[in-house]
Amino acid sequence: MTPLAEILAARIRAHGPILFSEFMDTALYHPAHGYYRSPRDPFGTQGDFFTASQLQPVFGRLIAAAVHAHCHRCGDPPHFTVAEWGAGRAELAPYFAEFHYFPIDAATPALPPPFTGVVFSNELFDALPVDVASIRGADFRLMRVDHRDDAFLWQPAEPVADQWRDYLEPLAARFEDRSHLTLELPVRLAPTLERMASSLQRGALVAIDYGYTHREIVRFPSGTLMSYRRHQALENVLRDPGLQDITAHVPFTYLADCAARLGFECAPLEDMARYLLRAGEPDQFASALDAPDAPSAARLRLQLKTLLFGMGETFRVLTLLR
Ligand SMILES: C[S@@+](CC[C@H](N)C(=O)[O-])C[C@H]1O[C@@H](n2cnc3c(N)ncnc32)[C@H](O)[C@@H]1O
């Protein structure tokens, strides 16, 4: 067993099966053994997955161009801030150098004071712990995590609380057959958005991630939880806690609804490809692809191709203005 599996198993022995959000939170963010806290780097070739943030300099240059447009919209104030939420390795730092850059990750102790600027996130919302509900017709139950015979396993538990039943009902209603559904509850999404909103006085919140709108939920009758390890997608998210990533697709409609309640104006959800094309359009990608020699130029063109065609249709951008 991994050290984290020992910790989780002991907790379950003492208090009974735990909510999946507690399992996921511990697996990813336990201060000593959590997946994102261990010294092993999860990103890149030697790690478990790539994000767009590793495609530098092209991604950074295009996102910086998009931030410039927001700065301009706000009247080019002298102290424009970029707070990158879920910054990971903070690979975007050099591209935000002309702004006040504030990287925030799960262990960052203090938030920036209220600012005019941009809150930017790439693949943050898919890494927030979720709960899991099992739906059998009119029966909506939380799924807890139990531990038996050296393995973690799902355990149907108490009925879903009213607030989350109200969230699930319209989603479940979209399925023709609702005799056996598994759906996630984004229990940490609104609190995270509220923290972002409390820092952002004026400007934009730009969230890049993969996910679904309420209409698209019908593609996921068994939910969207997934683990990643050594560039392989794994369905068993309960295995080897601390050694593999755990993600859930982002419910964009709910994210936009929460943002509207906080006073944001939501721009239409768009593909990342379209977003980046718009960011590079003013100078026909000249600055994004600027390179000192032919081999570097070829490498940058390949990065742009991966961003537009490899990731551009999977990832989406939600822009929220205030
Ligand atoms: C999938 S990684 C993405 C990292 C980086 N943005 C990139 O594109 O490579 C998700 C990151 O979000 C961080 N994170 C998770 N929950 C967070 C929270 N509530 N506040 C800030 N960062 C958080 C994780 O620690 C992790 O570094």
Side-chain angles (χ1 to χ4, degrees):
M1 279 215 275
T2 64
L4 209 55
E6 301 272 9
I7 291 168
L8 285 161
R11 213 182 281 173
I12 293 168
R13 267 197 307 279
H15 305 291
I18 57 176
L19 287 171
F20 183 70
S21 52
E22 182 178 346
F23 181 92
M24 182 167 169
D25 196 19
T26 311
L28 298 184
Y29 306 114
H30 182 278
H33 306 292
Y35 178 80
Y36 281 110
R37 299 288 179 84
S38 81
R40 179 177 172 268
D41 188 357
F43 304 98
T45 321
Q46 302 300 316
D48 297 322
F49 56 85
F50 285 99
T51 68
S53 301
Q54 278 98 64
L55 293 170
Q56 301 300 2
V58 175
F59 185 63
R61 288 175 179 176
L62 290 173
I63 297 298
V67 169
H68 263 292
H70 288 297
C71 183
H72 195 58
R73 185 181 60 85
C74 292
D76 293 311
H79 299 293
F80 201 74
T81 294
V82 179
E84 188 185 3
W85 235 271
R89 291 171 169 180
E91 281 148 313
L92 285 158
Y95 309 96
F96 293 146
E98 64 196 283
F99 307 108
H100 285 263
Y101 176 61
F102 206 108
I104 295 159
D105 211 86
T108 307
L111 298 184
F115 61 82
T116 296
V118 168
V119 168
F120 175 78
S121 74
N122 185 55
E123 294 205 47
L124 161 73
F125 285 98
D126 69 78
L128 297 181
V130 294
D131 277 327
V132 174
S134 153
I135 298 169
R136 304 277 184 278
D139 188 38
F140 287 53
R141 282 187 187 272
L142 284 173
M143 296 298 283
R144 286 182 174 259
V145 180
D146 202 354
H147 186 258
R148 266 181 264 145
D149 303 327
D150 272 350
F152 293 97
L153 48 113
W154 292 105
Q155 174 74 51
E158 68 269 36
V160 171
D162 286 350
Q163 175 209 351
W164 287 108
R165 201 181 159 108
D166 292 346
Y167 169 83
L168 288 172
E169 282 278 9
L171 287 177
R174 293 192 174 269
F175 290 87
E176 267 179 36
D177 175 7
R178 52 186 277 182
S179 61
H180 191 155
L181 300 172
T182 302
L183 301 177
E184 290 108 32
L185 303 174
V187 290
R188 301 283 173 85
L189 186 153
T192 304
L193 199 58
E194 278 160 25
R195 279 161 68 82
M196 293 167 154
S198 70
S199 290
L200 183 66
Q201 216 159 37
R202 177 148 189 260
L205 195 159
V206 178
I208 302 184
D209 228 309
Y210 47 87
Y212 53 87
T213 61
H214 273 189
R215 272 169 179 225
E216 293 160 347
I217 187 68
V218 289
R219 286 167 40 207
F220 306 106
S222 307
T224 68
L225 284 176
M226 196 59 77
S227 272
Y228 291 91
R229 194 167 177 181
R230 303 247 177 264
H231 300 275
Q232 265 195 309
L234 306 163
E235 281 187 11
N236 187 354
V237 294
L238 301 183
R239 213 177 134 185
D240 296 338
L243 296 185
Q244 57 184 28
D245 192 18
I246 306 175
T247 74
H249 282 37
V250 177
F252 282 116
T253 310
Y254 179 66
L255 178 53
D257 287 350
C258 291
R261 277 196 287 277
L262 291 167
F264 284 98
E265 185 192 320
C266 303
L269 184 66
E270 61 187 332
D271 286 352
M272 185 171 82
R274 205 182 151 97
Y275 184 84
L276 295 179
L277 280 169
R278 212 175 48 248
E281 201 175 29
D283 68 356
Q284 305 286 307
F285 292 92
S287 38
L289 296 176
D290 182 38
D293 51 49
S296 313
R299 188 174 65 84
L300 267 49
R301 279 199 302 277
L302 190 62
Q303 286 186 354
L304 182 60
K305 203 171 149 192
T306 307
L307 284 166
L308 297 182
F309 304 111
M311 305 176 101
E313 285 174 9
T314 309
F315 285 84
R316 278 137 139 198
V317 186
L318 187 64
T319 302
L320 307 164
L321 303 171
R322 64 163 27 172

